[in-house]
Amino acid sequence: MIFRQLFDSISGTYSYLMASRAGGEALIIDPVLEKVDRYCQLLRELDLRLVKAIDTHLHADHVTGLGELRDRTQCVTVMGEQTKADVVSMRVSDGDKVNIEGIGLDVMYTPGHTDDSYSYLMGDRVFTGDTLLIRGTGRTDFQNGSARAQYDSIFNRLLKLPDETMVFPAHDYKGDTVSTIGEERRHNPRLQVRSIDEYVELMDNLNLPNPKLMDVVIPANMHVGLRQDDLAKQGLALTPREAIARLGQPDILPVDLREAHERARHGTLAGALHAPYPGIADSLKPGGMLREVAAATGRRIVFFCAFGERSAMAVTAAKDAGLTNAVHIEGGIDAWKRAGGPVVAG
């Protein structure tokens, strides 16, 4: 496996790039905007294709690289379903899996530092965001943080993992790069408490100053969505109501870009073809499935996804591939449902 731990010295942030093989799909966890050039250089050097970028939570001390990486690589952006970020491509919840070629991450909802904090478990290692740090824990005094929720996340979720599980946090300010669950149980001073009330009292009396750029960073990290209005101005978008009116027409081919677990949870559109977004480029090439279906049937492709971001990127990819009449549903199936559109089991 290819695994790289990358560090931003300004914010003390660790980012993690991983792939199962050279020439394959890659994902990155907690990217920093100012380091995007470095990530892209490393992707080229290692011959990797970035397909997913994850933020463990809405960061307050650095601007996320999610939006820039999406624009440069057309990757899927991933956050927890509680996030207040305006649009991310995929929202996950506890028990989901984030998959790329050869790698699967188990999604663990671990709130407390913020109400949208998640950890990601991959075999012998867990990426804990700011929930569990090396010899510390993330502060709980803003962004709907909760010391009680964090205690539960740590003691009843993370510390239940095997002792040898490696801990890779989103931050460190002392130079430590990795720990283990067993080490943190034994040596983390914040975990040597006898009760949840003792932990709450400890966390409520840290009296830490706010991150220096918090008032700038949090609003920036809440607005990472694509400007779907641009496609609408070009006539390449359908409003949910327009799409509802056209569903079932013989000249329309709905194409669902979401992954299987999203379809199973939220349903899909009747008659939709399933073509997960990470394979969109191959599907649109000469001989590719979508290109051949569109050519054989003469039907107009109508892409849709969860919130409209993957489908907007797919329309652009279709244009680049020479399919100029593809459109997408603005706001995805989320907006479709809110407009009263019918769904069927995925």
Side-chain angles (χ1 to χ4, degrees), residues 126-339:
V126 61
F127 304 94
T128 55
D130 284 10
T131 300
L132 177 61
L133 305 176
I134 298 174
R135 307 303 191 263
T137 58
R139 61 191 297 173
T140 59
D141 57 338
F142 57 77
Q143 287 185 266
N144 296 316
S146 165
R148 288 187 178 277
Q150 188 174 68
Y151 179 94
D152 183 63
S153 295
I154 294 172
F155 283 86
N156 296 323
R157 297 297 304 277
L158 294 172
L159 294 186
K160 300 292 187 183
L161 297 173
D163 274 4
E164 62 271 19
T165 305
M166 289 182 284
V167 173
F168 287 101
H171 290 285
D172 190 84
Y173 308 100
K174 306 176 298 296
D176 294 321
T177 58
V178 63
S179 182
T180 67
I181 290 294
E183 275 186 48
E184 292 311 306
R185 180 185 289 108
R186 293 188 297 272
H187 303 300
N188 190 319
R190 291 191 186 171
L191 305 187
Q192 310 311 307
V193 293
R194 292 164 293 184
S195 68
I196 188 171
D197 289 336
E198 188 176 337
Y199 184 77
V200 169
E201 182 178 7
L202 170 68
M203 297 303 293
D204 285 352
N205 288 282
L206 294 178
N207 298 317
L208 299 172
N210 282 341
K212 294 178 182 178
L213 300 177
M214 176 177 168
D215 292 341
V216 174
V217 167
I218 291 179
N221 288 341
M222 290 174 66
H223 299 288
V224 297
L226 284 174
R227 293 183 290 277
Q228 296 182 36
D229 290 349
D230 293 345
L231 291 180
K233 291 173 184 176
Q234 298 173 52
L236 299 176
L238 298 176
T239 67
R241 294 196 178 280
E242 289 172 336
I244 290 168
R246 298 188 188 186
L247 182 66
Q249 292 181 357
D251 61 334
I252 295 296
L253 176 62
V255 175
D256 189 346
L257 299 169
R258 297 169 302 152
E259 299 188 6
H261 72 88
E262 298 174 278
R263 288 161 52 87
R265 175 175 297 153
H266 301 292
T268 189
L269 307 190
L273 187 68
H274 186 209
Y277 175 78
I280 192 67
D282 288 336
S283 289
L284 293 169
K285 289 177 181 176
M289 183 264 292
L290 281 180
R291 193 181 191 95
E292 293 301 307
V293 170
T297 64
R299 297 167 73 185
R300 188 181 202 189
I301 294 175
V302 178
F303 291 116
F304 68 94
C305 60
F307 303 101
E309 182 154 323
R310 279 169 281 181
S311 58
M313 291 190 289
V315 170
T316 300
K319 280 181 62 180
D320 293 343
L323 298 178
T324 58
N325 68 339
V327 296
H328 86 124
I329 300 176
E330 293 177 334
I333 203 162
D334 177 68
W336 168 277
K337 283 184 174 181
R338 286 189 277 107

